[in-house]
Every structure is written in C-alpha cells, then in structure tokens.
Amino acid sequence: MPELPEVETVRRGLEPWVTATRIERVTLNRPDLRFPFPEGFAEKLAGATIVSVGRRAKYLLFRLSNGLIWLSHLGMTGSYRFAGHIFKEPSRYYEPVIDPKHDHVVMELTHPEHGALTLIYADPRRFGFMDLFRDEADSPFLRGLGPEPLSNAFNAAEMAGRFAGKKAPMKAALLDQRVVAGLGNIYVSEALHRAHILPTRAAGALVPKPGVRPAELEALAKGVRAVLEEAIEAGGSTLRDFRAADGTTGYFQHHFAVYDREGEPCPTPGCVGTIQRIVQSGRSTYFCPVCQH
Ligand SMILES: [Zn+2]
C-alpha cells in the first residue's frame, strides 16, 4: 500500500505536468472505485484548470480554478500515468493505450507548454477513491485529521497532550490519524526504531511529569520526520506494483531498518539485537528488543 512518502512522490511527479493544465474531458470507465464517483464528477472537472497539486496525509488534493478541490486516494494499487507519447517520443503523437479493465479514469488535458496530455488513473484492486468538494472542512476524509508529520504542528508537546493517560500501545497510538496524519504500518515501525521506543509501550508512559522535558516524544517526533524525509528523498518505496507519476515502473526499493527484516541484525550502530516481528491489531510490527525500550 502506498504510504505517505509514495503519495508525496506521486504528487511531485504530477506537479510539473498537471499544474496550469486545463481539463478538457474526463472519461470514467466505471461508476465507482471503492466508492461511487461523486455526482457529476466528470462534468464538474471539465473546463476547469488545475491550479495546484497538494497533499494532506495520503490524499492528493488538486485545486481547481472553479473553486473545487478534487481529492484522490490511491488505495492499494492506484497509480497515475501519462499517455506514452510525452515520454517515449515527444515528436510524435501516440494514441494513448487504455486498458479498459484497469484504467478507470482518463483525462484529456491541455498544458500551456506541453500541449495535449492524457492522464490516466489505473487501479486494479479499486481500493482507491475520488471526491470533489469546495472546502477541506466539507470532506469527511479530511475532517478530524491530526497534524501533518512533516509540519511543525506535529511535535512532542502536541503528542504529550494526546497521549496523557493513554494505555494504548505506541504502535496503535501512532497509527491513530488524529495523532498524526498519514502515518502507516511501515513507517510506524521505522520511526519507533529510530527513536528507540518499544512499539508495545503504553503511550501514556512516554508523557513525563509536568515541568519535565518530554525527551522521548521529542526523539519520536524527530524519528517520524527523519524516516519520512529519507523515504521521500529516496523517491518513496513500494511493496506492490506501483508507478511513479512520470510513468517509470518498478520503483526505487527503499531500504528499511526493521520493516520486513525479522531475524536480521539490528542496524543501530553498536547494537547486538536481532529484529523481531510481533502482530499488533492484526498487523506486523518489527522492532529490536535490545535498543528499543
Ligand atoms: Zn537494536
């Protein structure tokens, strides 16, 4: 499943190609993805210009000149690509090759410099979805989301407020989207390892007495930021067939410190531990029992 760094990579890949493009025509090859497309989706997008491509948690947010925001969630297998003619041979026009089974949304765009582009959204398993609204506050997907992990709003003091008195294990606490938005299973394991905190510890146990510096939560905020930034830097990572928005396939294999590394030596310098796997709330957690406390 694409996590935040992959979504950010897709956003960065799309941005130069779709910003300032006019949406000429939208073809939906089926009525729904995980959810039905919003009423009049194709008609409302047609004629608008894409002003910007943003991201909130794992949602792509395309701001349109008609005041609407088009939200896209990639689910498990969602991907964007452009019709081959742009990248393969700029001098010749290629009729875009559409796979009617998996290419659910086809958009004809006009870019002020690149000219006609076809943007295709494919999603074999259809866990992705799209929405359209005027204000972020109107979206049930965005309402109630906690701070962006890469923003200053995500910090030790904020976490201390949320974690005080909480018995939930750290793993679950960090997967709670009200605590931090967009953090998924892989990067929770990675961030806890980076901060040397056990995933099984009660969240409330990391909150110090009033007046005491929340050193562990500071390390955690730093760890979350570091693992995400490194993954974005590496171009994201993938465990499934997922395509960067520029049409490149395969994807950069990001190196994880603990995720999917059960039985391997802990990469923390000087640590003699071996990575272990446990299951929490039905999902795998990886950690080092020696350097995580
Ligand atoms: Zn270790």
Side-chain angles (χ1 to χ4, degrees):
M1 175 180 291
E3 293 220 30
L4 188 151
E6 286 82 36
V7 179
E8 177 60 21
T9 301
V10 171
R11 191 197 71 74
R12 290 179 187 189
L14 287 170
E15 192 171 40
W17 293 96
V18 305
T19 305
T21 58
R22 189 184 136 90
I23 303 171
E24 307 293 352
R25 198 153 69 104
V26 178
T27 307
L28 304 178
N29 287 332
R30 51 177 301 120
D32 57 358
L33 297 169
R34 192 196 313 182
F35 310 122
F37 285 102
E39 187 91 30
F41 182 74
E43 293 75 17
K44 286 175 184 165
L45 260 60
T49 296
I50 298 173
V51 176
S52 65
V53 189
R55 179 189 56 75
R56 177 80 169 103
K58 294 198 274 184
Y59 302 104
L60 291 167
L61 300 176
F62 302 81
R63 285 173 200 282
L64 308 178
S65 58
N66 59 11
L68 292 171
I69 301 170
W70 154 34
L71 172 150
S72 170
H73 188 279
L74 300 170
M76 302 276 286
T77 55
S79 68
Y80 283 95
R81 72 177 195 277
F82 293 102
H85 66 278
I86 307 163
F87 294 98
K88 286 181 185 146
E89 224 176 320
S91 60
R92 287 178 63 190
Y93 177 77
Y94 280 81
E95 205 52 51
V97 178
I98 309 293
D99 167 4
K101 193 155 177 271
H102 297 314
D103 294 341
H104 308 307
V105 183
V106 178
M107 292 196 178
E108 287 159 42
L109 310 174
T110 305
H111 189 281
E113 288 168 50
H114 308 303
L117 305 178
T118 302
L119 177 65
I120 300 158
Y121 177 77
D123 192 349
R125 295 187 66 183
R126 295 202 312 271
F127 283 109
F129 54 89
M130 295 189 182
D131 199 7
L132 200 59
F133 43 82
R134 251 178 214 285
D135 198 293
E136 288 194 25
D138 297 338
S139 166
F141 304 112
L142 302 181
R143 215 179 296 136
L145 279 181
E148 273 298 306
L150 297 174
S151 76
N152 291 333
F154 175 63
N155 56 52
E158 228 275 333
M159 272 191 280
R162 300 240 182 216
F163 291 171
K166 293 275 155 60
K167 292 193 169 61
M170 275 313 299
K171 164 83 180 285
L174 283 181
L175 283 175
D176 183 343
Q177 299 298 298
R178 293 166 298 184
V179 169
V180 53
L183 209 57
N185 199 45
I186 295 175
Y187 292 97
V188 165
S189 280
E190 293 291 304
L192 286 169
H193 178 259
R194 186 72 62 103
H196 303 300
I197 295 166
L198 279 174
T200 48
R201 246 174 102 190
L206 277 82
V207 181
K209 291 192 181 74
V212 178
R213 196 180 140 203
E216 286 184 301
L217 292 176
E218 287 175 6
L220 182 57
K222 212 173 138 191
V224 166
R225 225 178 292 258
V227 295
L228 292 176
E229 277 171 357
E230 284 167 26
I232 291 168
E233 191 69 26
S237 55
T238 192
L239 302 175
R240 291 175 192 281
D241 62 323
F242 189 64
R243 290 156 188 240
D246 66 357
T248 55
T249 53
Y251 239 82
F252 19 72
Q253 277 295 307
H254 186 56
H255 176 90
F256 296 119
V258 292
Y259 189 81
D260 209 18
R261 289 186 174 271
E262 185 181 16
E264 293 185 30
C266 173
T268 299
C271 181
V272 296
T274 300
I275 304 307
Q276 291 190 4
R277 184 183 79 96
I278 53 169
V279 175
Q280 291 178 291
S281 316
R283 308 200 54 194
S284 290
T285 303
Y286 297 85
F287 69 102
C288 171
V290 175
C291 67
Q292 288 178 249
H293 308 286

PDB file of all heavy atoms in Angstrom, residues 193 196 258 265-275 287-292, ligand 1:
ATOM      1  N   HIS A 193      11.692   2.523  15.900  1.00  0.00           N
ATOM      2  CA  HIS A 193      13.059   2.007  15.981  1.00  0.00           C
ATOM      3  C   HIS A 193      14.053   3.159  16.014  1.00  0.00           C
ATOM      4  O   HIS A 193      14.978   3.190  16.818  1.00  0.00           O
ATOM      5  CB  HIS A 193      13.352   1.073  14.799  1.00  0.00           C
ATOM      6  CG  HIS A 193      14.751   0.544  14.796  1.00  0.00           C
ATOM      7  ND1 HIS A 193      15.732   1.068  13.987  1.00  0.00           N
ATOM      8  CD2 HIS A 193      15.335  -0.441  15.526  1.00  0.00           C
ATOM      9  CE1 HIS A 193      16.866   0.414  14.219  1.00  0.00           C
ATOM     10  NE2 HIS A 193      16.656  -0.505  15.144  1.00  0.00           N
ATOM     11  N   HIS A 196      14.139   4.615  19.331  1.00  0.00           N
ATOM     12  CA  HIS A 196      14.472   3.634  20.380  1.00  0.00           C
ATOM     13  C   HIS A 196      13.332   3.441  21.377  1.00  0.00           C
ATOM     14  O   HIS A 196      13.543   3.331  22.583  1.00  0.00           O
ATOM     15  CB  HIS A 196      15.772   4.027  21.096  1.00  0.00           C
ATOM     16  CG  HIS A 196      16.944   4.166  20.157  1.00  0.00           C
ATOM     17  ND1 HIS A 196      17.399   3.117  19.384  1.00  0.00           N
ATOM     18  CD2 HIS A 196      17.719   5.231  19.845  1.00  0.00           C
ATOM     19  CE1 HIS A 196      18.414   3.532  18.650  1.00  0.00           C
ATOM     20  NE2 HIS A 196      18.624   4.805  18.897  1.00  0.00           N
ATOM     21  N   VAL A 258      14.023  -1.862   9.924  1.00  0.00           N
ATOM     22  CA  VAL A 258      13.442  -3.015  10.627  1.00  0.00           C
ATOM     23  C   VAL A 258      12.291  -3.672   9.866  1.00  0.00           C
ATOM     24  O   VAL A 258      12.071  -4.875  10.012  1.00  0.00           O
ATOM     25  CB  VAL A 258      12.937  -2.630  12.055  1.00  0.00           C
ATOM     26  CG1 VAL A 258      14.116  -2.289  12.948  1.00  0.00           C
ATOM     27  CG2 VAL A 258      11.913  -1.503  12.031  1.00  0.00           C
ATOM     28  N   PRO A 265      20.185  -8.802  11.834  1.00  0.00           N
ATOM     29  CA  PRO A 265      20.807  -7.996  12.886  1.00  0.00           C
ATOM     30  C   PRO A 265      20.284  -6.553  12.874  1.00  0.00           C
ATOM     31  O   PRO A 265      20.008  -6.000  11.812  1.00  0.00           O
ATOM     32  CB  PRO A 265      22.304  -8.029  12.555  1.00  0.00           C
ATOM     33  CG  PRO A 265      22.457  -8.769  11.288  1.00  0.00           C
ATOM     34  CD  PRO A 265      21.137  -9.285  10.829  1.00  0.00           C
ATOM     35  N   CYS A 266      20.135  -5.990  14.065  1.00  0.00           N
ATOM     36  CA  CYS A 266      19.658  -4.607  14.187  1.00  0.00           C
ATOM     37  C   CYS A 266      20.699  -3.663  13.581  1.00  0.00           C
ATOM     38  O   CYS A 266      21.891  -3.773  13.872  1.00  0.00           O
ATOM     39  CB  CYS A 266      19.438  -4.261  15.652  1.00  0.00           C
ATOM     40  SG  CYS A 266      19.044  -2.525  15.914  1.00  0.00           S
ATOM     41  N   PRO A 267      20.266  -2.721  12.746  1.00  0.00           N
ATOM     42  CA  PRO A 267      21.233  -1.813  12.118  1.00  0.00           C
ATOM     43  C   PRO A 267      21.699  -0.653  13.009  1.00  0.00           C
ATOM     44  O   PRO A 267      22.555   0.125  12.590  1.00  0.00           O
ATOM     45  CB  PRO A 267      20.466  -1.278  10.904  1.00  0.00           C
ATOM     46  CG  PRO A 267      19.031  -1.370  11.286  1.00  0.00           C
ATOM     47  CD  PRO A 267      18.904  -2.515  12.245  1.00  0.00           C
ATOM     48  N   THR A 268      21.145  -0.536  14.226  1.00  0.00           N
ATOM     49  CA  THR A 268      21.609   0.544  15.115  1.00  0.00           C
ATOM     50  C   THR A 268      23.086   0.318  15.428  1.00  0.00           C
ATOM     51  O   THR A 268      23.464  -0.780  15.851  1.00  0.00           O
ATOM     52  CB  THR A 268      20.803   0.548  16.430  1.00  0.00           C
ATOM     53  OG1 THR A 268      19.433   0.763  16.124  1.00  0.00           O
ATOM     54  CG2 THR A 268      21.286   1.647  17.378  1.00  0.00           C
ATOM     55  N   PRO A 269      23.934   1.328  15.215  1.00  0.00           N
ATOM     56  CA  PRO A 269      25.370   1.137  15.465  1.00  0.00           C
ATOM     57  C   PRO A 269      25.629   0.651  16.899  1.00  0.00           C
ATOM     58  O   PRO A 269      25.097   1.207  17.857  1.00  0.00           O
ATOM     59  CB  PRO A 269      25.959   2.530  15.249  1.00  0.00           C
ATOM     60  CG  PRO A 269      24.981   3.227  14.358  1.00  0.00           C
ATOM     61  CD  PRO A 269      23.638   2.681  14.725  1.00  0.00           C
ATOM     62  N   GLY A 270      26.417  -0.410  17.025  1.00  0.00           N
ATOM     63  CA  GLY A 270      26.781  -0.943  18.341  1.00  0.00           C
ATOM     64  C   GLY A 270      25.748  -1.858  18.963  1.00  0.00           C
ATOM     65  O   GLY A 270      25.998  -2.448  20.011  1.00  0.00           O
ATOM     66  N   CYS A 271      24.565  -2.005  18.349  1.00  0.00           N
ATOM     67  CA  CYS A 271      23.514  -2.854  18.930  1.00  0.00           C
ATOM     68  C   CYS A 271      23.721  -4.299  18.484  1.00  0.00           C
ATOM     69  O   CYS A 271      24.001  -4.568  17.321  1.00  0.00           O
ATOM     70  CB  CYS A 271      22.136  -2.369  18.500  1.00  0.00           C
ATOM     71  SG  CYS A 271      20.806  -3.364  19.214  1.00  0.00           S
ATOM     72  N   VAL A 272      23.559  -5.229  19.448  1.00  0.00           N
ATOM     73  CA  VAL A 272      23.743  -6.646  19.128  1.00  0.00           C
ATOM     74  C   VAL A 272      22.400  -7.353  18.940  1.00  0.00           C
ATOM     75  O   VAL A 272      22.333  -8.571  18.816  1.00  0.00           O
ATOM     76  CB  VAL A 272      24.549  -7.368  20.244  1.00  0.00           C
ATOM     77  CG1 VAL A 272      25.959  -6.801  20.330  1.00  0.00           C
ATOM     78  CG2 VAL A 272      23.840  -7.258  21.593  1.00  0.00           C
ATOM     79  N   GLY A 273      21.314  -6.589  18.939  1.00  0.00           N
ATOM     80  CA  GLY A 273      19.964  -7.161  18.864  1.00  0.00           C
ATOM     81  C   GLY A 273      19.635  -7.767  17.510  1.00  0.00           C
ATOM     82  O   GLY A 273      20.302  -7.524  16.508  1.00  0.00           O
ATOM     83  N   THR A 274      18.569  -8.568  17.487  1.00  0.00           N
ATOM     84  CA  THR A 274      18.036  -9.183  16.280  1.00  0.00           C
ATOM     85  C   THR A 274      16.595  -8.687  16.112  1.00  0.00           C
ATOM     86  O   THR A 274      15.839  -8.647  17.083  1.00  0.00           O
ATOM     87  CB  THR A 274      18.044 -10.718  16.407  1.00  0.00           C
ATOM     88  OG1 THR A 274      19.398 -11.124  16.614  1.00  0.00           O
ATOM     89  CG2 THR A 274      17.501 -11.404  15.167  1.00  0.00           C
ATOM     90  N   ILE A 275      16.241  -8.319  14.893  1.00  0.00           N
ATOM     91  CA  ILE A 275      14.902  -7.775  14.656  1.00  0.00           C
ATOM     92  C   ILE A 275      13.847  -8.854  14.872  1.00  0.00           C
ATOM     93  O   ILE A 275      13.966  -9.971  14.384  1.00  0.00           O
ATOM     94  CB  ILE A 275      14.793  -7.211  13.209  1.00  0.00           C
ATOM     95  CG1 ILE A 275      15.870  -6.164  12.940  1.00  0.00           C
ATOM     96  CG2 ILE A 275      13.403  -6.644  12.944  1.00  0.00           C
ATOM     97  CD1 ILE A 275      15.944  -5.039  13.946  1.00  0.00           C
ATOM     98  N   PHE A 287      10.642  -4.732  15.351  1.00  0.00           N
ATOM     99  CA  PHE A 287      11.374  -3.905  16.324  1.00  0.00           C
ATOM    100  C   PHE A 287      12.604  -4.655  16.814  1.00  0.00           C
ATOM    101  O   PHE A 287      12.749  -5.856  16.574  1.00  0.00           O
ATOM    102  CB  PHE A 287      10.472  -3.558  17.511  1.00  0.00           C
ATOM    103  CG  PHE A 287      10.128  -4.744  18.381  1.00  0.00           C
ATOM    104  CD1 PHE A 287      10.774  -4.932  19.589  1.00  0.00           C
ATOM    105  CD2 PHE A 287       9.182  -5.662  17.974  1.00  0.00           C
ATOM    106  CE1 PHE A 287      10.470  -6.029  20.395  1.00  0.00           C
ATOM    107  CE2 PHE A 287       8.874  -6.776  18.769  1.00  0.00           C
ATOM    108  CZ  PHE A 287       9.525  -6.952  19.975  1.00  0.00           C
ATOM    109  N   CYS A 288      13.475  -3.924  17.509  1.00  0.00           N
ATOM    110  CA  CYS A 288      14.656  -4.521  18.120  1.00  0.00           C
ATOM    111  C   CYS A 288      14.454  -4.533  19.626  1.00  0.00           C
ATOM    112  O   CYS A 288      14.291  -3.461  20.224  1.00  0.00           O
ATOM    113  CB  CYS A 288      15.906  -3.726  17.760  1.00  0.00           C
ATOM    114  SG  CYS A 288      17.343  -4.272  18.717  1.00  0.00           S
ATOM    115  N   PRO A 289      14.457  -5.715  20.258  1.00  0.00           N
ATOM    116  CA  PRO A 289      14.197  -5.775  21.697  1.00  0.00           C
ATOM    117  C   PRO A 289      15.380  -5.285  22.544  1.00  0.00           C
ATOM    118  O   PRO A 289      15.230  -5.147  23.758  1.00  0.00           O
ATOM    119  CB  PRO A 289      13.936  -7.270  21.939  1.00  0.00           C
ATOM    120  CG  PRO A 289      14.634  -7.968  20.837  1.00  0.00           C
ATOM    121  CD  PRO A 289      14.646  -7.045  19.654  1.00  0.00           C
ATOM    122  N   VAL A 290      16.512  -5.008  21.898  1.00  0.00           N
ATOM    123  CA  VAL A 290      17.694  -4.586  22.669  1.00  0.00           C
ATOM    124  C   VAL A 290      17.790  -3.050  22.759  1.00  0.00           C
ATOM    125  O   VAL A 290      17.927  -2.498  23.849  1.00  0.00           O
ATOM    126  CB  VAL A 290      18.981  -5.192  22.070  1.00  0.00           C
ATOM    127  CG1 VAL A 290      20.222  -4.666  22.793  1.00  0.00           C
ATOM    128  CG2 VAL A 290      18.916  -6.718  22.157  1.00  0.00           C
ATOM    129  N   CYS A 291      17.696  -2.367  21.615  1.00  0.00           N
ATOM    130  CA  CYS A 291      17.887  -0.905  21.662  1.00  0.00           C
ATOM    131  C   CYS A 291      16.585  -0.119  21.709  1.00  0.00           C
ATOM    132  O   CYS A 291      16.608   1.112  21.778  1.00  0.00           O
ATOM    133  CB  CYS A 291      18.793  -0.438  20.528  1.00  0.00           C
ATOM    134  SG  CYS A 291      18.093  -0.626  18.889  1.00  0.00           S
ATOM    135  N   GLN A 292      15.456  -0.796  21.698  1.00  0.00           N
ATOM    136  CA  GLN A 292      14.177  -0.096  21.865  1.00  0.00           C
ATOM    137  C   GLN A 292      13.663  -0.399  23.278  1.00  0.00           C
ATOM    138  O   GLN A 292      13.680  -1.553  23.705  1.00  0.00           O
ATOM    139  CB  GLN A 292      13.168  -0.536  20.807  1.00  0.00           C
ATOM    140  CG  GLN A 292      13.504   0.002  19.425  1.00  0.00           C
ATOM    141  CD  GLN A 292      12.551  -0.460  18.317  1.00  0.00           C
ATOM    142  OE1 GLN A 292      12.939  -1.227  17.447  1.00  0.00           O
ATOM    143  NE2 GLN A 292      11.313   0.004  18.355  1.00  0.00           N
TER     144      GLN A 292
HETATM  145 ZN    ZN B   1      18.855  -2.666  18.195  1.00  0.00          ZN
END
